Amino acid sequence: MMPIESVKTRSPEYSAPEDGVLSARMLQDFNDNGFLILRDFVSVARCDELRNRAMQLVDAFDPETVRSIFSTTGQQQLGDRYFTESGDKIRFFMEADAFLEDGGLRQSKEHSLNKMGHAMHDLDPVFDAFSHTPKLAAVAKSMGFERPAVLQSMYIFKPPNIGGEVVCHQDSTYIYTQPESCVGFWFALEDASLENGCMQFIPGGHKAPLKKRNYRKSDGLLVTETLDDAPWDGEPVAAEVPAGTLVVFDGRAPHLSAANRSSKSRHAYTLHVIDQSCHYPAENWLQRDANMPLRGFD
Ligand code: FE2
């Protein structure tokens, strides 16, 4: 499979292999860059199916429930708990600019959401079917996962006009195992461009140390500790990709996205995978109920 030459981004970019088995060249590119772009991994029809299901879940959600949690003065713990207890649930998170001063929404409900998470892949049948396929299992196997486990799922709305910036970070900061094993599987459900805030990666940046670690202190509050305060080394490149593209990226790969000030949304779906042969610390923010054991891609 020949890479699609891209002078603009020089991204490691390929047509997705039919069976999901990554070639030696793809794996080399992933190891060199920390991310790999696989075009046409899923059909646009499958993307639309997932978007439609997300919209059904959005329809049933009342934003007032979330506004009251986050707007109550001095109730940071309440907001923290809404987040930290979402690892085995389906919860909604609003954009920072979603609400007007009078408590009303600036835009439609669909266009006010930042994300939905973090267990649609286990709790919703449509998300479950999208997230567990032989093709994804083949990708994970060829990347060297021994016992892959899909730890979390996120539906990212990146709405028009108010979709917020995500500053440069590494996902292993939040999804930490010993040794580190986190890999992100990011699906473009709509075309992503610089205009609507596509993903950007620093090629090779995953070879630097983990810069921060987020964990739960003994009092239950979350803290993000700086482990290495060196600046990011290298310039990010834009992963401008059409709907149906899968981007896999290392848990240490530095990535970011600009705010979406365009009139187009940029829906994406992300799975984060860890290897169950690695230690998963009890102080990680995401803890699941014992009745919801982790599953692989099968
Ligand atoms: Fe991230």
Side-chain angles (χ1 to χ4, degrees), residues 169 171 249 255:
H169 67 281
D171 286 352
F249 59 102
H255 60 285

Side-chain angles (χ1 to χ4, degrees), residues 245-259:
T245 303
L246 168 65
V247 183
V248 286
F249 59 102
D250 189 276
R252 275 201 198 178
H255 60 285
L256 60 114
S257 64

Side-chain angles (χ1 to χ4, degrees), residues 181-204:
S181 62
C182 172
V183 171
F185 285 64
W186 185 98
F187 300 88
L189 302 179
E190 296 182 301
D191 296 347
S193 64
L194 277 169
E195 188 193 6
N196 64 358
C198 66
M199 291 276 268
Q200 300 183 42
F201 295 91
I202 298 177

Side-chain angles (χ1 to χ4, degrees), residues 37-294:
I37 297 171
L38 300 169
R39 286 190 179 233
D40 299 315
F41 190 90
V42 288
S43 68
V44 171
R46 293 279 284 155
C47 293
D48 289 346
E49 196 184 345
L50 200 69
R51 283 201 301 138
N52 290 337
R53 179 58 187 154
M55 286 311 116
Q56 287 175 351
L57 297 173
V58 169
D59 278 345
F61 160 68
D62 177 6
E64 178 56 27
T65 55
V66 172
R67 190 188 69 83
S68 59
I69 289 170
F70 286 93
S71 66
T72 317
T73 313
Q75 289 293 308
Q76 195 205 334
Q77 278 193 356
L78 218 54
D80 278 0
R81 279 183 55 192
Y82 183 80
F83 173 76
T84 58
E85 293 173 0
S86 68
D88 50 12
K89 299 179 183 66
I90 300 178
R91 285 189 168 172
F92 293 86
F93 300 86
M94 311 293 287
E95 281 292 344
D97 292 336
F99 292 104
L100 296 162
E101 271 186 23
D102 67 5
L105 287 176
R106 192 180 303 277
Q107 305 190 136
S108 69
K109 184 164 63 169
E110 173 200 341
H111 288 164
S112 300
L113 288 161
N114 174 282
K115 69 179 172 185
M116 168 169 68
H118 288 91
M120 290 83 71
H121 63 298
D122 280 326
L123 297 174
D124 182 84
V126 177
F127 277 84
D128 186 332
F130 189 97
S131 310
H132 300 95
T133 64
K135 197 168 172 179
L136 284 168
V139 174
K141 189 174 181 189
S142 53
M143 294 178 85
F145 276 96
E146 287 174 31
R147 293 170 57 210
V150 186
L151 181 68
Q152 69 165 26
S153 50
M154 293 195 295
Y155 191 99
I156 312 287
F157 293 89
K158 201 81 168 180
N161 308 312
I162 62 167
E165 175 190 11
V166 178
V167 299
C168 197
H169 67 281
Q170 297 161 305
D171 286 352
S172 285
T173 290
Y174 306 96
I175 301 170
Y176 182 76
T177 61
Q178 292 164 328
E180 287 168 45
S181 62
C182 172
V183 171
F185 285 64
W186 185 98
F187 300 88
L189 302 179
E190 296 182 301
D191 296 347
S193 64
L194 277 169
E195 188 193 6
N196 64 358
C198 66
M199 291 276 268
Q200 300 183 42
F201 295 91
I202 298 177
H206 65 302
K207 293 173 183 168
L210 186 65
K211 292 204 184 303
K212 292 182 180 180
R213 186 175 164 208
N214 173 279
Y215 57 91
R216 213 187 291 243
K217 291 188 296 177
S218 53
D219 60 7
L221 294 179
L222 289 175
V223 63
T224 303
E225 184 183 343
T226 298
L227 308 173
D228 176 272
D229 59 5
W232 300 109
D233 187 16
E235 288 300 313
V237 298
E240 294 193 285
V241 296
T245 303
L246 168 65
V247 183
V248 286
F249 59 102
D250 189 276
R252 275 201 198 178
H255 60 285
L256 60 114
S257 64
N260 182 7
R261 298 288 177 248
S262 80
S263 58
K264 288 185 286 190
S265 58
R266 196 222 70 189
H267 288 197
Y269 179 56
T270 308
L271 299 170
H272 280 96
V273 181
I274 56 169
D275 203 307
Q276 289 195 75
S277 58
C278 301
H279 172 62
Y280 188 79
E283 64 267 26
N284 277 4
W285 79 264
L286 197 164
Q287 302 294 334
R288 289 161 61 107
D289 190 281
N291 294 321
M292 267 177 67
L294 288 167

